[in-house]
């Protein structure tokens, strides 16, 4: 008998919020493709939750009409030439100019920060009034450089990157999954943006959210949880970070295989 698993993918904000999930999901996509050529990561994910730059990747994953392995490979190449933050070139490559949130075919929750009300603001599929907002505007609101206090005016709100306030949206993901999947088993896959031996304030906030989540998730008897977060040195180059991330996910092969088995159960292949 197959289990009714729901797969929730959570990607951190932060300084390397594209690098780690792009390299990691490329590895996972290749493993999925090797097992079943007709299945893709898109087919298995039910909910995407993201903060900061990783909202770009989450938005891409929520679009159905893509070859994910090819797109992730192209993004990995762009990492070598792009700075973190919103890039019109990168966005226009991945989305049509007129694409709105209505084009996203998965449940999603994207975190940004409301400058004037001094609180987090969420873009979500649960809010019908947001469906006509252009994806480009959402990405500008979520991916602006927080160090330069870049914000976008959307309606009466001024919105900016939430990475300094919610670098790890794992708690928001848990609460939304609670609302959506009250009776189902849930698999939460959390991908960080890389950690350092000497944590800065952003990393400490992320670790606090992680610890709080791990305390609360014990109440969910039918939930499974995976966390992937490689370690970098402060002076690592982009090439060194990419190589370390690749090696990290190779070392994480047993966990990746365990995750893949749960995904196969979700698809009904295992009985």
């Amino acid at each position: 008998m197959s289990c009714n698993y729901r797969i929730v993918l959570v990607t951190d904000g932060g300084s390397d919020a594209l690098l780690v999930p792009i390299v990691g999901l490329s590895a996972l996509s290749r493993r999925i493709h090797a097992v079943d050529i007709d299945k893709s990561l898109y087919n298995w994910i039910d909910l995407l939750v993201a903060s900061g730059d990783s909202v770009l990747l989450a938005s891409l994953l929520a679009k159905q009409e893509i070859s994910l392995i090819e797109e992730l490979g192209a993004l990995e190449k762009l990492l070598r030439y792009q700075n973190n933050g919103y890039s019109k070139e990168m966005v226009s490559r991945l989305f049509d100019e007129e694409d709105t949130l209505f084009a996203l075919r998965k449940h999603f929750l994207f975190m940004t920060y409301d400058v004037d009300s001094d609180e987090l603001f969420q873009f979500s599929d649960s809010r019908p009034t947001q469906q006509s907002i252009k994806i480009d505007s959402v990405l500008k609101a979520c991916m602006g450089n927080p160090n330069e206090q870049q914000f976008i005016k959307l309606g009466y709100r001024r919105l900016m990157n939430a990475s300094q306030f919610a670098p790890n949206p794992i708690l928001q993901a848990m609460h939304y999954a609670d609302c959506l999947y009250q009776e189902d088993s849930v698999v939460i896959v959390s991908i960080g943006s890389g950690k350092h031996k000497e944590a800065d304030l952003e990393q400490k906030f992320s670790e606090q959210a992680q610890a709080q989540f791990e305390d609360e998730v014990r109440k969910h008897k039918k939930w499974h949880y995976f966390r992937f977060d490689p370690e970098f040195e402060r002076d690592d180059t982009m090439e060194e970070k990419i190589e370390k991330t690749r090696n990290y996910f190779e070392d994480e092969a047993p966990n990746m295989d365990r995750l893949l088995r749960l995904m196969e159960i979700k698809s009904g292949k295992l009985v």
Side-chain angles (χ1 to χ4, degrees):
M1 183 170 65
S2 63
C3 299
N4 193 18
Y5 282 111
R6 301 293 185 175
I7 308 293
V8 180
L9 177 63
V10 188
T11 48
D12 286 11
S15 56
D16 289 298
L18 281 176
L19 186 157
V20 179
I22 284 173
V23 176
L25 292 175
S26 292
L28 182 58
S29 293
R30 288 192 295 270
R31 297 176 87 84
I32 291 171
H33 196 70
V35 171
D36 188 345
I37 198 169
D38 294 325
K39 288 292 181 184
S40 71
L41 196 59
Y42 171 87
N43 292 329
W44 278 332
I45 294 174
D46 296 288
L47 167 62
L48 293 131
V49 182
S51 175
D53 292 355
S54 72
V55 172
L56 174 70
L57 183 57
S59 299
L60 177 63
L61 287 166
K63 287 187 67 176
Q64 186 171 6
E65 65 280 5
I66 60 171
S67 171
L68 192 58
I69 292 178
E70 292 178 9
E71 294 291 359
L72 287 171
L75 277 173
E76 190 173 326
K77 291 177 182 177
L78 281 174
L79 283 174
R80 293 170 169 81
Y81 309 104
Q82 295 284 347
N83 294 321
N84 290 304
Y86 174 85
S87 163
K88 183 66 176 178
E89 177 187 352
M90 188 179 284
V91 172
S92 61
R93 168 185 164 73
L94 301 173
F95 300 97
D96 295 332
E97 185 177 352
E98 298 304 315
D99 275 348
T100 67
L101 290 178
F102 183 73
L104 306 185
R105 301 305 183 191
K106 295 290 181 180
H107 291 300
F108 63 87
L109 186 68
F110 301 153
M111 309 303 300
T112 184
Y113 186 76
D114 190 319
V115 175
D116 298 310
S117 63
D118 191 24
E119 62 184 5
L120 293 173
F121 179 77
Q122 301 175 348
F123 293 104
S124 171
D125 64 286
S126 67
R127 299 180 176 183
T129 56
Q130 294 183 349
Q131 298 305 295
S132 62
I133 300 175
K134 289 186 177 181
I135 290 177
D136 182 69
S137 297
V138 173
L139 294 176
K140 285 179 181 176
C142 294
M143 298 175 64
N145 190 328
N147 296 321
E148 297 177 7
Q149 298 293 300
Q150 292 179 354
F151 63 84
I152 178 175
K153 189 168 178 57
L154 197 60
Y156 61 88
R157 299 181 186 275
R158 292 190 301 162
L159 303 173
M160 62 177 285
N161 191 318
S163 292
Q164 292 182 333
F165 312 97
N168 181 353
I170 189 68
L171 291 170
Q172 290 84 1
M174 182 180 67
H175 296 151
Y176 196 26
D178 264 336
C179 294
L180 291 173
Y181 310 123
Q182 295 180 8
E183 303 300 325
D184 298 334
S185 296
V186 174
V187 179
I188 291 187
V189 183
S190 173
I191 301 183
S193 59
K195 57 187 177 182
H196 303 88
K197 292 178 182 178
E198 296 181 1
D200 59 14
L201 191 59
E202 185 179 276
Q203 184 173 324
K204 289 177 180 177
F205 282 153
S206 176
E207 291 171 350
Q208 286 173 5
Q210 200 70 34
Q212 188 176 345
F213 164 78
E214 289 172 3
D215 284 340
E216 292 191 28
V217 78
R218 295 189 181 96
K219 304 171 187 175
H220 298 74
K221 302 300 183 184
K222 296 190 295 181
W223 285 28
H224 301 266
Y225 172 60
F226 297 81
R227 172 71 171 172
F228 300 102
D229 199 16
E231 187 172 290
F232 300 140
E233 299 293 338
R234 293 286 178 190
D235 57 352
D236 279 347
T237 65
M238 179 62 74
E239 291 288 350
E240 288 170 333
K241 289 178 180 178
I242 290 173
E243 186 62 25
K244 285 184 177 181
T245 304
R246 284 176 177 162
N247 293 337
Y248 170 84
F249 279 99
E250 287 180 8
D251 293 340
E252 287 290 319
N255 273 337
M256 298 275 271
D257 288 340
R258 189 162 64 92
L259 171 58
L260 187 58
R261 182 171 177 82
L262 290 173
M263 288 180 165
E264 287 180 317
I265 293 172
K266 168 189 168 67
S267 73
K269 284 186 63 181
L270 300 182
V271 293

